[in-house]
Amino acid sequence: EPGDRVLVRKASVISGPLNLEVGDLVLYEAPYYTADGEGLLKIRRITGQRGSWIKLDSELESVAESEVLVRRSEILGEVLVKIP
């Protein structure tokens, strides 16, 4: 839900690459920008993978663009837990 806090595991040299699977929630930077030039971070669920592309879907019915394709390299991290 918007406003929820989550813990995200970021890929790094130490922890290694993310092992992403269909059903995982991931954090990525949206391909459009805000007025101040910074990207917008979003969380979406993986619904498919093909090569270096990952298909993401929003679970919110109010989201106009429910399906998005992003490159694996654009994924910033994997959501581990929701913080109460």
Side-chain angles (χ1 to χ4, degrees):
E1 294 293 320
D4 284 350
R5 293 183 177 152
V6 295
L7 180 63
V8 175
R9 176 182 176 261
K10 182 179 172 183
S12 71
V13 175
I14 295 170
S15 65
L18 298 172
N19 183 23
L20 301 175
E21 298 178 6
V22 170
D24 289 345
L25 286 171
V26 294
L27 176 72
Y28 75 102
E29 189 168 3
Y32 48 87
Y33 301 91
T34 59
D36 61 4
E38 292 187 20
L40 181 64
L41 300 180
K42 291 190 168 195
I43 294 176
R44 296 269 176 109
R45 187 169 303 278
I46 296 176
T47 57
Q49 299 185 62
R50 179 173 290 158
S52 64
W53 290 95
I54 295 181
K55 185 166 87 170
L56 304 174
D57 197 5
S58 173
E59 297 175 342
L60 299 175
E61 293 178 12
S62 62
V63 176
E65 297 176 5
S66 65
E67 258 186 27
V68 181
L69 282 175
V70 297
R71 291 189 182 277
R72 180 174 292 276
S73 60
E74 295 172 325
I75 301 293
L76 302 176
E78 176 185 7
V79 175
L80 298 177
V81 303
K82 177 181 166 183
I83 299 172

